[in-house]
Structures are given as C-alpha cells and as structure tokens.
C-alpha cells in the first residue's frame, strides 16, 4: 500500500525554512516507512498521524522540531529520547537531521500503534 499524503502537509513543509523543513520532511518519510497506511492530516495546526487512533505529530518551532507522541507517557522509551512532563504526551526535540534516530523512532511509532490496538 502506498502512503496517502495530505496536500496540506505538503504546503506546510514547503513553507518552512531550513533546517526545520528538512527535519519535518525526513520525519514524514520515517512515519510512512514505519506504517505506509498511516493516516496523515492536520490537528492543532500541526502535521498529525493516526492509525487506529492518534499516534504522533510534528510541532515546529524556531530552529527545531518536536516529534511527539500522543500517548508518549505509555511508551517504552529504552533510549531515553522522550521529553515532557504532561499527563499523556511526550516528544523528541530535534535540532538537525543527523539527530534523527530512525530505528528508535520507528520502534516508538510501532509501539504507539500497538497501544491504540489495545
């Protein structure tokens, strides 16, 4: 199955500056590598991904991207990448593309989908 990409997210990425644009583009590719059938959309002005429930999102800020997980507090974070102190969500702060740990992030995505499947 081929990913179905939301044109809103295309436009969002096109409007970003470097290095944020490259980080978001790589994370988007990573999400679809983990689950090609992931539903992509926009929630709360951010690219958001769902599979049997909300899974992850990308929140941009000046000079970095937070790659977040809606149920992050429930994830096994063996690499200690997740940050945050909210009741549910956690995120990985990324300042450069070389900080993206693809295998670790894919594992978190897979685990997040499994949580949704319950």
């Amino acid at each position: 199955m081929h990913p179905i990409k939301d044109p809103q997210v295309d436009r969002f990425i096109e409007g970003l500056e470097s290095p944020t644009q490259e980080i978001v583009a790589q994370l988007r590719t990573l999400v679809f590598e983990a689950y090609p059938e992931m539903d992509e959309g926009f929630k709360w002005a951010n690219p958001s991904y769902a599979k049997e429930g909300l899974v992850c999102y990308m929140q941009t800020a000046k000079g970095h991207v937070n790659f977040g997980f809606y149920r992050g507090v429930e994830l096994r974070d063996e690499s200690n990448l997740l940050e945050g102190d909210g009741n549910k969500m956690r995120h990985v702060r990324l300042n450069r593309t070389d900080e993206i740990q693809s295998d670790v992030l894919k594992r978190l995505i897979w685990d997040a989908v499994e949580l949704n499947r319950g």
Side-chain angles (χ1 to χ4, degrees):
M1 175 178 236
H2 295 289
I4 300 172
K5 296 182 176 181
D6 187 324
Q8 264 188 300
V9 177
D10 291 329
R11 289 188 295 277
F12 176 80
I13 293 172
E14 289 168 8
L16 296 172
E17 294 183 12
S18 187
T20 307
Q21 184 180 63
E22 292 82 8
I23 295 168
V24 170
Q26 281 192 27
L27 289 171
R28 184 188 202 192
T29 297
L30 184 139
V31 167
F32 285 123
E33 285 174 357
Y35 270 101
E37 66 276 12
M38 190 80 75
D39 293 324
E40 179 179 62
F42 248 80
K43 294 217 181 290
W44 306 286
N46 294 303
S48 183
Y49 299 86
K51 177 74 178 149
E52 299 182 39
L54 296 173
V55 175
C56 58
Y57 63 91
M58 292 175 241
Q59 181 181 33
T60 59
K62 188 165 183 132
H64 75 274
V65 176
N66 287 338
F67 184 58
F69 293 88
Y70 290 103
R71 295 177 67 181
V73 74
E74 299 174 69
L75 294 173
R76 291 172 300 179
D77 180 23
E78 296 166 357
S79 298
N80 280 334
L81 289 182
L82 295 176
E83 301 177 23
D85 55 10
N87 290 334
K88 293 189 180 224
M89 295 194 277
R90 292 290 183 270
H91 66 272
V92 179
R93 182 182 170 130
L94 299 161
N95 299 294
R96 299 181 319 272
T97 55
D98 64 358
E99 294 177 343
I100 297 172
Q101 297 181 38
S102 296
D103 291 342
V104 175
L105 293 178
K106 283 180 186 177
R107 197 170 317 116
L108 289 170
I109 293 166
W110 293 328
D111 288 350
V113 171
E114 287 305 311
L115 281 173
N116 286 346
R117 290 181 172 154

